[in-house]
Amino acid sequence: MTVKPILALDIMGGDEGPAVTIPAAALARMRYPEMRFRLYGDETVIRSALSSYPDLAAEAEIIHTDVEVLGTDKPSQILRSARKSSIGLAVGGVKAGEAHAAVSAGNTGALMALAKIGLRTMPGITRPALAALLPTMKSDVVMLDLGANAECDDENLSQFAVMGAAFARIVLGIDRPSVAILNIGEEELKGTDDHKEAADALRAVDLDFTYAGFVEGDKIGRGEVDVIVSDGFSGNIALKAIEGTARLVVELLRRAFRANLWSILGFIMSKRVLSSLRAHLDPNAHNGAVFLGLNGIVVKSHGSANVEGFANAIGVAHDLVADNIQQRIADDLARFNDQRLSAKEQQAAAE
Amino acid sequence: MTVKPILALDIMGGDEGPAVTIPAAALARMRYPEMRFRLYGDETVIRSALSSYPDLAAEAEIIHTDVEVLGTDKPSQILRSARKSSIGLAVGGVKAGEAHAAVSAGNTGALMALAKIGLRTMPGITRPALAALLPTMKSDVVMLDLGANAECDDENLSQFAVMGAAFARIVLGIDRPSVAILNIGEEELKGTDDHKEAADALRAVDLDFTYAGFVEGDKIGRGEVDVIVSDGFSGNIALKAIEGTARLVVELLRRAFRANLWSILGFIMSKRVLSSLRAHLDPNAHNGAVFLGLNGIVVKSHGSANVEGFANAIGVAHDLVADNIQQRIADDLARFNDQRLSAKEQQAAAE
């Protein structure tokens, strides 16, 4: 029997709030008719937004709150107000078993903190990781950790590899993904001791993924591997640097096309080309970063996601629930630990 | 009296060797007629390449070696062979005081190792840093460390700020550059303890630069600050991610323009636009990464640099020598340490 996913949606989060999240829920429901929703936020506002979507309104459950997380709140205040906000209640819904996954386009820091504290890490996982898809020259690549942890040791990195591979199998549909570690060189002796020890651990085991060694930052966009594992600090720096550079190049193009009449004509003739480029790089097409390694699934949408983007984030949550990523991670982690243990015993016996 | 820069050039380094480095030296000599060169490499090859540049040939000194660093050498072998290679002898020329700066397009790892071991760090500097210019929406930004050190503490980071500001004053010609620290968020409590302590130190002093706080990876391309300080690990990842993304976007554009007849026509009309974009992002225009903090100036050119690119790297070395960056760094570091010391004494007295 497959699970019928019940999703907890933070309706108030994101730049547009219900104007995006409600139509997105309706769109996602058409794609996955078996899915059910719990909608967290201001009931009056939600009811009014739902008026155009009677089918969704008929079966969605609304959980009211008018507490908001404000950008001006101090970090110490954020967590207190966030618990009772639509973000906090949506995460709480997953914790209470009322929903299988939460989806929010709200404040990343608040969502991350609430998810960590509320759901705690899965047995055996020492740190959760933020994973997302990035566009490449070929198909998408899964990258993690994108900023859940500023510092990571070798155990964290190898657990990220196990979790990232499980994620790639579901989201990219690849049976045996290749997994690489982000580093400052490809040679085995590059990077910190933690990088080298994580690499040793991944080389020593035989799981449902292929360890592909170290990759440098310029390989992220090549699409030669399916999963790239990183500490949260440099993963976040890389993600942001990629976003910033894509924006820089597009802005430079825009300026250059305005230069003179010929270039404006060229622009008009190239419009379709440029919009296909924009579509390839569109964050909405890759929307839905996931916190992996917690006792529950939490998906973070871009704050600026449009209806299609938020619906895609809901789709990611749906797939992870339907394919039971939690069980897959637990199973893979158990096999990883077994194999590591017996490798260490063999080593000890040999010495 | 201004110094007349004498440069030690590794003639054999880079993808093209003397076919690029000799014409580049001749070009740089026209730009800075007072500059003198010592040319390191295979004498027969150099003499033959010099035959088209009699003015350069007349006054350049050739130091012969036929030892090469091979890509297939093991790391342990590289250093041994590299010492006697054109890279090693060029660095040795700086060490012996025969040249003010060395410029090489050879193996980065070998150059870095030889420079560290041969020249050692300046008094008071705990780690050298690799600094370079990156293109932004406005003018260029100085970024360091780009990979000289995998791990950096707060002292390293604040020394990088002092060195990066001195570099920006010379290379960007800005009297009072703004300096930011690369981090995973802009709030004061983001990042590791080392980031927070480096920020505290920079806020506490009053030197010839403005401390501008933390910046995230997507701000590198904005051009809102003049210097971005980073640990060598995430700095290298960011640099490579930026290069990879620029390449990805250009490749996607190239493919998209080939789609149909209209887009091919659009491409032809947009050609000038696209080449102005390429020029803005061209690594040759930003060529010349510098190892700062050593007892001598060492400039690393891209291996794929063309004549213009290698001449630009020589130009960077020239400017750093002519404006005496070594003395500027020493002076600024002394002031930084004095101010830090008195701030700590005041703190101790107050407690």
Side-chain angles (χ1 to χ4, degrees):
Chain A
M1 194 197 80
T2 36
V3 183
K4 283 187 184 171
I6 305 171
L7 296 203
L9 303 188
D10 164 17
I11 296 302
M12 311 310 282
D15 300 347
E16 310 280 335
V20 160
T21 53
I22 293 287
L27 178 59
R29 199 179 151 276
M30 290 200 292
R31 293 179 182 166
Y32 308 98
E34 84 286 9
M35 195 160 42
R36 293 294 171 267
F37 293 109
R38 293 171 66 85
L39 312 178
Y40 295 80
D42 188 308
E43 182 158 10
T44 321
V45 176
I46 294 178
R47 289 234 176 270
S48 137
L50 277 175
S51 61
S52 318
Y53 305 96
D55 289 358
L56 177 63
E59 60 184 26
E61 205 162 321
I62 299 171
I63 297 88
H64 173 75
T65 175
D66 51 14
V67 178
E68 284 182 69
V69 182
L70 300 172
T72 53
D73 284 354
K74 286 187 186 164
S76 54
Q77 293 174 321
I78 280 184
L79 209 59
R80 227 171 305 150
S81 55
R83 265 180 220 276
K84 295 177 179 174
S85 73
S86 51
I87 305 179
L89 295 184
V91 171
V94 176
K95 187 184 179 187
E98 295 156 358
H100 297 102
V103 184
S104 173
N107 183 300
T108 311
L111 180 61
M112 189 143 64
L114 289 163
K116 276 189 198 177
I117 296 168
L119 300 175
R120 301 194 177 274
T121 53
M122 293 173 63
I125 295 282
T126 44
R127 298 264 183 102
L130 186 61
L133 293 176
L134 300 183
T136 78
M137 290 199 195
K138 299 177 187 169
S139 75
D140 290 346
V141 62
V142 171
M143 199 165 145
L144 76 167
D145 174 27
L146 294 173
N149 315 282
E151 285 165 286
C152 297
D153 64 15
D154 59 315
E155 190 183 7
N156 302 143
L157 291 172
S158 41
Q159 292 185 350
F160 295 170
V162 171
M163 299 196 291
F167 184 73
R169 280 201 292 276
I170 295 172
V171 176
L172 299 178
I174 300 170
D175 277 348
R176 194 179 169 81
S178 57
V179 179
I181 298 178
L182 188 63
N183 200 341
I184 56 173
E186 300 199 343
E187 304 85 354
E188 281 186 21
L189 41 79
K190 286 283 179 173
T192 66
D193 288 345
D194 288 320
H195 289 90
K196 289 171 227 169
E197 279 159 29
D200 287 345
L202 293 175
R203 249 191 307 267
V205 295
D206 179 24
L207 298 172
D208 295 339
F209 61 85
T210 309
Y211 173 63
F214 293 141
V215 288
E216 296 188 62
D218 56 344
K219 298 287 162 60
I220 300 171
R222 290 262 183 101
E224 286 160 10
V225 293
D226 304 311
V227 179
I228 294 180
V229 166
S230 167
D231 66 280
F233 195 92
S234 30
N236 182 279
I237 298 285
L239 174 73
K240 299 279 176 70
I242 289 168
E243 289 177 353
T245 307
R247 219 175 296 136
L248 169 65
V249 175
V250 170
E251 166 66 20
L252 292 175
L253 263 180
R254 209 178 51 83
R255 275 192 214 168
F257 269 121
R258 282 191 187 159
N260 58 44
L261 187 62
W262 282 110
S263 64
I264 292 170
L265 280 173
F267 174 71
I268 293 166
M269 302 190 71
S270 314
K271 233 174 170 175
R272 195 174 282 183
V273 169
L274 296 174
S275 59
S276 86
L277 172 70
R278 207 173 301 133
H280 191 109
L281 296 172
D282 184 6
N284 285 303
H286 304 89
N287 197 25
V290 181
F291 291 105
L292 295 175
L294 298 172
N295 291 306
I297 297 165
V298 176
V299 176
K300 167 71 178 82
S301 159
H302 270 283
S304 61
N306 59 18
V307 171
E308 177 67 29
F310 198 76
N312 285 338
I314 296 174
V316 168
H318 170 275
D319 292 348
L320 296 178
V321 172
D323 286 349
N324 205 349
I325 188 166
Q326 301 296 93
Q327 192 59 49
R328 289 203 190 200
I329 290 176
D331 292 347
D332 288 354
L333 188 68
R335 288 170 57 203
F336 176 76
N337 289 337
D338 283 352
Q339 292 187 23
R340 282 293 289 157
L341 195 66
S342 66
K344 277 184 189 160
E345 282 169 358
Q346 281 175 18
Q347 209 184 333
E351 274 165 11
Chain B
M1 195 197 82
T2 35
V3 184
K4 282 188 185 172
I6 304 171
L7 296 202
L9 303 188
D10 165 18
I11 296 302
M12 312 309 282
D15 300 348
E16 309 280 335
V20 159
T21 53
I22 293 287
L27 177 60
R29 200 181 150 276
M30 289 201 290
R31 291 177 182 167
Y32 307 99
E34 83 286 8
M35 196 159 42
R36 295 293 170 269
F37 293 110
R38 292 172 66 85
L39 312 178
Y40 295 79
D42 188 307
E43 182 159 9
T44 320
V45 176
I46 294 178
R47 289 231 177 271
S48 137
L50 277 176
S51 61
S52 318
Y53 305 95
D55 290 357
L56 177 64
E59 60 184 26
E61 207 163 319
I62 298 171
I63 297 90
H64 173 75
T65 176
D66 51 14
V67 178
E68 283 181 71
V69 183
L70 300 173
T72 52
D73 284 352
K74 286 187 187 164
S76 55
Q77 293 173 319
I78 281 184
L79 209 58
R80 227 171 305 152
S81 55
R83 265 179 220 276
K84 294 179 181 174
S85 73
S86 52
I87 305 179
L89 294 185
V91 171
V94 175
K95 188 185 178 188
E98 295 158 356
H100 297 101
V103 183
S104 173
N107 182 302
T108 312
L111 180 61
M112 191 143 63
L114 289 164
K116 276 190 199 177
I117 296 169
L119 300 175
R120 301 195 177 275
T121 52
M122 293 172 63
I125 295 283
T126 44
R127 298 265 183 102
L130 186 60
L133 292 176
L134 300 183
T136 78
M137 291 197 195
K138 298 176 188 170
S139 74
D140 290 348
V141 63
V142 171
M143 200 165 144
L144 76 168
D145 173 26
L146 295 172
N149 314 281
E151 285 166 287
C152 297
D153 64 15
D154 58 316
E155 191 185 3
N156 303 142
L157 292 172
S158 40
Q159 291 185 351
F160 294 170
V162 171
M163 297 195 292
F167 184 72
R169 281 201 291 277
I170 295 172
V171 176
L172 298 178
I174 299 170
D175 277 348
R176 195 180 168 81
S178 57
V179 178
I181 298 177
L182 189 64
N183 200 341
I184 56 174
E186 301 198 343
E187 304 86 352
E188 282 186 20
L189 40 81
K190 286 284 179 172
T192 67
D193 289 344
D194 287 319
H195 289 89
K196 290 171 227 167
E197 280 158 29
D200 287 345
L202 294 175
R203 250 191 307 269
V205 295
D206 179 24
L207 297 173
D208 295 339
F209 61 85
T210 309
Y211 174 63
F214 293 141
V215 288
E216 296 188 63
D218 56 344
K219 299 288 162 59
I220 299 171
R222 291 263 184 98
E224 286 160 8
V225 292
D226 305 310
V227 179
I228 294 180
V229 167
S230 168
D231 65 280
F233 195 92
S234 28
N236 182 280
I237 298 286
L239 173 74
K240 298 279 176 68
I242 289 168
E243 289 177 352
T245 307
R247 219 175 296 137
L248 169 65
V249 175
V250 170
E251 167 67 19
L252 292 174
L253 262 179
R254 210 179 51 84
R255 274 192 216 169
F257 270 120
R258 283 191 188 159
N260 58 44
L261 187 60
W262 281 110
S263 64
I264 292 170
L265 279 174
F267 174 71
I268 292 166
M269 302 189 71
S270 315
K271 233 174 171 174
R272 195 174 282 183
V273 169
L274 295 173
S275 58
S276 85
L277 173 71
R278 205 172 304 132
H280 191 109
L281 296 173
D282 185 5
N284 285 303
H286 303 88
N287 196 26
V290 180
F291 290 106
L292 296 175
L294 297 173
N295 292 306
I297 297 164
V298 175
V299 175
K300 167 73 177 82
S301 160
H302 270 283
S304 61
N306 59 18
V307 171
E308 177 66 30
F310 198 76
N312 285 338
I314 296 175
V316 168
H318 170 274
D319 292 348
L320 296 178
V321 172
D323 286 349
N324 205 348
I325 191 168
Q326 301 297 91
Q327 192 58 49
R328 289 202 190 201
I329 290 176
D331 292 348
D332 288 355
L333 188 68
R335 289 170 60 202
F336 176 77
N337 288 337
D338 283 352
Q339 292 186 23
R340 282 295 288 156
L341 196 65
S342 65
K344 277 185 187 160
E345 280 169 359
Q346 279 174 21
Q347 210 183 335
E351 273 166 10

